[in-house]
Amino acid sequence: MAKLVDLTKKPYNLNADQIKWVEDTIAGMTDEEKVGQLFVNLFFPGSDEYSGNEFTNQEIVEKFHIGGARYKGQDSVQVQGLLNELQSASKIPLLVAANCDSGGDGATNDGTYIASGAQAEASGDTSVAYNAGYVSGREATALGVNTNFDPCVDILMNWRNTIVNTRAYGTNADSVIKYTNAYLEGLTQSEIIQCIKHWPGDGTEERDQHLVLGVNELSVDEWEDSFGRVYRNHIENGVEMIMAGHIALPEYQKALDPSLKDEDIMPATLAPELIQDLLKTKLDFNGMVITDAAHMLGMTSAMRREDYVPLSIAAGCDMFLFFNDIEEDTMFMMNGYKNGVITEERMTDALRRILGLKAKLNLHLKQAEGTLLKDKSELEVIGCEEHLEMRADAADKGITLVKDTQNNLPINPETHRRIRLYYLEGEKAMNVSSENNALGFFVEELERRGYEVTVNDGHTRVKGKTLEYRENVDFALTVSNVAGYGAENNYRIKWKTAMSNEVPWYVWEVPTVFVSLNFTTHLHDATMVKTFVNAYHNNEETIRQVIDKLEGKSEFKGTPNENVWANKWQAKL
């Protein structure tokens, strides 16, 4: 029997008045309002039209009675305006979410990046993770966000996994617990719902659940001693929301239900044995479960959409993240409710968990008092000096010299004046490198310090005469700004052409340094490099500090984990 929520207990701890509002609200709902509460819609600031549907923002809120909202990018003024508009139109206050992995930049384009999970781990300092959570909470709440879909509590066991390469806080349970606890302590200095992900755990395989069913292949004992410890820690600490990934845990699923065959194994979002039996019953999670984005192939490849939309709620998820077609998905969920796929008990339990979080934040009281909407003056906290100082501190502590076996450092404008700069990046449409001028930052800062910089054209395999190269180049700097997302199972370096002249053939000709601004495992593709730096981000502050450290003006303080070697003995040479 499914375990039902108790709103008097952790993580809700509601009082009688708050519970009364929850129960009265449910009692007064139409079927359409009940179904609508289960959905989170994705909005686009600056646009009054949902992609693929001819409804205005106000119509989406009023006609479809959505329970939550998330949004894409844009600057803080636009985001705050959108969120105020949505809350103004909603009869029941909305849960409004952002993905603040590493600071306020996850909530708005002009927000402050502090540190990714990988950077926090490299720093060895929990204050870096704390500050990332602290700034995430402060800048997000100034916009009107009240829920954060982070941190990732995945464990990066497989170096080939790029989807959580920089988002994971470590390669073992102890590191993940240490730094995510600190992040959440910082986050909860603001009034915001915390959500950890991706249940039951990513990072064990190399594939991406955006593109294929994710599979965590750990045995029951292995899972219990790793991800199980992580989730138990956060449940004990009172985490309010858990995002279920489109990830299967077949060994544990078959242990929980011995009748399951391989063809019966579903992602967690559709697996009652993982949500109801393991998470809510065995681990005693009393909070709310939300699906990961429902356009991801880990879910869509399981069955027909008209089936998995209601089955996700029947399996124990309480909210459904994102419409495909708003009218069609609403119909699918309504049909599932009317046909008994979603029982009355399951619907009421899901609504209690959703509204319980809204009551915990007293959104209903703020709505009644007229204090739910945000004022433009609150945006002053975004990018404030205090937050920029935290960003600088995180960069100083996190930037990591993985190796310098050729003793190429330090550099200076007198002995290394003529620099050949090789710039690598990933796909343009879906990643941060398309919105960032890291190359420009590097060139400008190096030239300001007295270097002469020539940017290499890698669209040819022609390398020219090596003696002339040595005559004309004092230092080679290779910068990787590869930051893809959701289009490949693994993101590696893509040279601009076959055997491109940007591939580090030059490591024996002139002093060469490779700097990664994102993924930490590029030595897999460049084992010949003798000096390698992980910098974790492409903001101007990080780039300035990278150059400071290359020049010996500041020491490298970060510590790499074993994944950086990509299991290649050559990488260590």
Side-chain angles (χ1 to χ4, degrees):
M1 184 176 179
K3 189 168 184 179
L4 303 180
V5 68
D6 184 343
L7 295 178
T8 67
K9 294 183 178 179
K10 183 171 59 180
Y12 293 98
N13 301 312
L14 300 189
N15 61 38
D17 288 340
Q18 291 168 319
I19 293 174
K20 184 177 187 303
W21 176 78
V22 170
E23 298 299 341
D24 288 350
T25 301
I26 294 173
M29 280 180 167
T30 64
D31 286 351
E32 288 75 17
E33 288 171 332
K34 290 179 180 179
V35 164
Q37 277 297 299
L38 304 177
F39 285 102
V40 178
N41 185 58
L42 182 62
F43 290 89
F44 299 84
S47 172
D48 199 36
E49 186 175 297
Y50 176 77
S51 178
N53 293 283
E54 300 297 322
F55 297 103
T56 65
N57 295 335
Q58 184 169 340
E59 286 172 338
I60 290 170
V61 174
E62 294 179 346
K63 177 179 175 68
F64 296 97
H65 317 290
I66 59 171
R70 205 168 89 68
Y71 56 90
K72 280 284 190 181
Q74 303 303 321
D75 65 43
S76 54
V77 173
Q78 285 180 299
V79 172
Q80 190 190 67
L82 169 71
L83 301 188
N84 279 344
E85 175 193 359
L86 298 179
Q87 293 288 23
S88 296
S90 187
K91 176 182 175 182
I92 299 171
L94 298 165
L95 290 176
V96 179
N99 276 26
C100 292
D101 289 71
S102 48
D105 61 322
T108 177
N109 289 349
D110 49 336
T112 310
Y113 169 87
I114 301 297
S116 65
Q119 185 176 339
E121 180 203 12
S123 77
D125 189 339
T126 54
S127 71
V128 171
Y130 176 94
N131 289 342
Y134 178 74
V135 172
S136 294
R138 293 187 80 195
E139 296 194 354
T141 54
L143 299 164
V145 172
N146 53 41
T147 304
N148 186 34
F149 287 163
D150 276 295
C152 293
V153 298
D154 299 310
I155 305 174
L156 191 63
M157 295 179 175
N158 189 332
W159 72 265
R160 292 181 180 273
N161 186 301
T162 48
I163 194 62
V164 297
N165 177 281
T166 58
R167 295 194 291 170
Y169 286 80
T171 60
N172 58 73
D174 290 334
S175 290
V176 171
I177 289 169
K178 175 181 177 181
Y179 294 108
T180 55
N181 279 353
Y183 176 99
L184 288 170
E185 184 182 350
L187 179 74
T188 52
Q189 300 309 303
S190 301
E191 193 176 20
I192 192 166
I193 295 298
Q194 47 188 306
C195 174
I196 60 174
K197 60 188 183 186
H198 305 85
W199 171 265
D202 205 343
T204 65
E205 67 162 349
E206 63 185 80
R207 298 177 306 164
D208 177 359
Q209 56 169 318
H210 290 82
L211 303 173
V212 67
L213 172 66
V215 181
N216 184 321
E217 298 283 10
L218 296 184
S219 70
V220 171
D221 289 343
E222 288 170 334
W223 187 90
E224 283 287 357
D225 195 41
S226 54
F227 292 95
R229 289 176 53 212
V230 172
Y231 278 96
R232 282 186 168 88
N233 163 81
H234 288 300
I235 290 168
E236 176 62 28
N237 288 345
V239 69
E240 293 134 333
M241 187 186 297
I242 291 177
M243 181 177 288
H246 309 305
I247 300 170
L249 187 63
E251 294 299 318
Y252 217 134
Q253 287 173 263
K254 290 177 181 179
L256 290 165
D257 183 355
S259 70
L260 291 176
K261 300 176 182 178
D262 286 350
E263 59 266 32
D264 302 320
I265 296 298
M266 289 288 117
T269 40
L270 297 169
E273 68 276 7
L274 291 181
I275 303 297
Q276 298 284 27
D277 300 342
L278 181 55
L279 180 57
K280 288 185 175 179
T281 302
K282 187 170 184 179
L283 270 61
D284 198 25
F285 178 59
N286 188 49
M288 199 198 92
V289 177
I290 188 168
T291 72
D292 205 340
H295 55 263
M296 293 162 63
L297 272 292
M299 190 178 209
T300 65
S301 61
M303 62 185 71
R304 290 177 174 174
R305 190 169 180 94
E306 66 179 305
D307 295 324
Y308 70 71
V309 169
L311 278 174
S312 65
I313 304 301
C317 296
D318 303 301
M319 289 193 90
F320 189 89
L321 193 58
F322 304 152
F323 294 102
N324 174 47
D325 179 274
I326 194 167
E327 291 180 300
E328 186 177 69
D329 283 349
T330 299
M331 177 182 68
F332 291 159
M333 193 72 81
M334 180 64 76
N335 289 344
Y337 179 38
K338 289 183 174 179
N339 295 338
V341 173
I342 304 171
T343 65
E344 196 65 47
E345 181 182 75
R346 177 79 273 272
M347 174 64 83
T348 301
D349 185 61
L351 293 172
R352 283 174 176 149
R353 292 174 190 263
I354 297 164
L355 295 174
L357 293 183
K358 298 180 180 187
K360 181 174 183 176
L361 294 176
N362 289 311
L363 298 183
H364 58 301
L365 297 182
K366 293 175 183 178
Q367 185 183 55
E369 296 164 354
T371 58
L372 185 60
L373 307 188
K374 294 293 181 174
D375 188 85
K376 282 188 177 179
S377 63
E378 297 183 59
L379 298 179
E380 294 175 3
V381 74
I382 294 174
C384 68
E385 190 60 35
E386 178 190 4
H387 293 180
L388 294 178
E389 289 173 0
M390 291 176 177
R391 181 181 72 171
D393 178 68
D396 180 44
K397 291 174 178 175
I399 296 171
T400 303
L401 179 62
V402 175
K403 67 172 183 176
D404 183 24
T405 58
Q406 211 173 39
N407 297 316
N408 289 318
L409 300 178
I411 66 171
N412 65 73
E414 287 71 43
T415 57
H416 301 76
R417 180 170 55 87
R418 296 167 302 174
I419 294 178
R420 183 68 57 89
L421 197 156
Y422 301 83
Y423 187 69
L424 317 172
E425 58 186 354
E427 61 174 284
K428 281 287 190 179
M430 284 288 290
N431 69 35
V432 67
S433 52
S434 64
E435 302 168 358
N436 174 275
N437 188 26
L439 174 59
F441 296 159
F442 263 106
V443 172
E444 180 181 351
E445 185 63 20
L446 287 166
E447 290 182 340
R448 187 185 68 79
R449 298 183 187 214
Y451 298 94
E452 296 175 5
V453 181
T454 301
V455 179
N456 183 72
D457 179 5
H459 292 91
T460 176
R461 70 175 64 183
V462 177
K463 298 165 180 64
K465 295 180 179 180
T466 59
L467 294 180
E468 285 187 6
Y469 185 90
R470 281 172 22 204
E471 178 92 15
N472 297 322
V473 177
D474 299 316
F475 176 63
L477 177 61
T478 305
V479 175
S480 172
N481 193 26
V482 177
Y485 190 78
E488 298 177 30
N489 277 307
N490 306 100
Y491 283 91
R492 302 291 176 234
I493 296 170
K494 289 184 178 178
W495 312 106
K496 294 183 180 68
T497 191
M499 290 178 288
S500 166
N501 67 12
E502 64 192 351
V503 183
W505 60 271
Y506 37 84
V507 296
W508 292 110
E509 306 298 334
V510 299
T512 300
V513 173
F514 189 113
V515 176
S516 173
L517 302 180
N518 190 59
F519 293 124
T520 62
T521 51
H522 284 316
L523 279 173
H524 170 64
D525 295 322
T527 52
M528 72 290 285
V529 169
K530 307 303 179 185
T531 305
F532 186 89
V533 174
N534 274 326
Y536 306 103
H537 202 255
N538 54 22
N539 65 79
E540 292 178 79
E541 177 64 33
T542 293
I543 290 170
R544 280 193 296 270
Q545 290 206 33
V546 164
I547 298 173
D548 280 346
K549 292 175 188 294
L550 294 180
E551 291 186 323
K553 295 176 180 177
S554 171
E555 66 176 304
F556 287 95
K557 298 175 182 176
T559 303
N561 61 44
E562 279 298 305
N563 280 344
V564 298
W565 307 116
N567 287 342
K568 303 292 183 293
W569 58 267
Q570 314 99 293
K572 297 184 179 181
L573 300 179

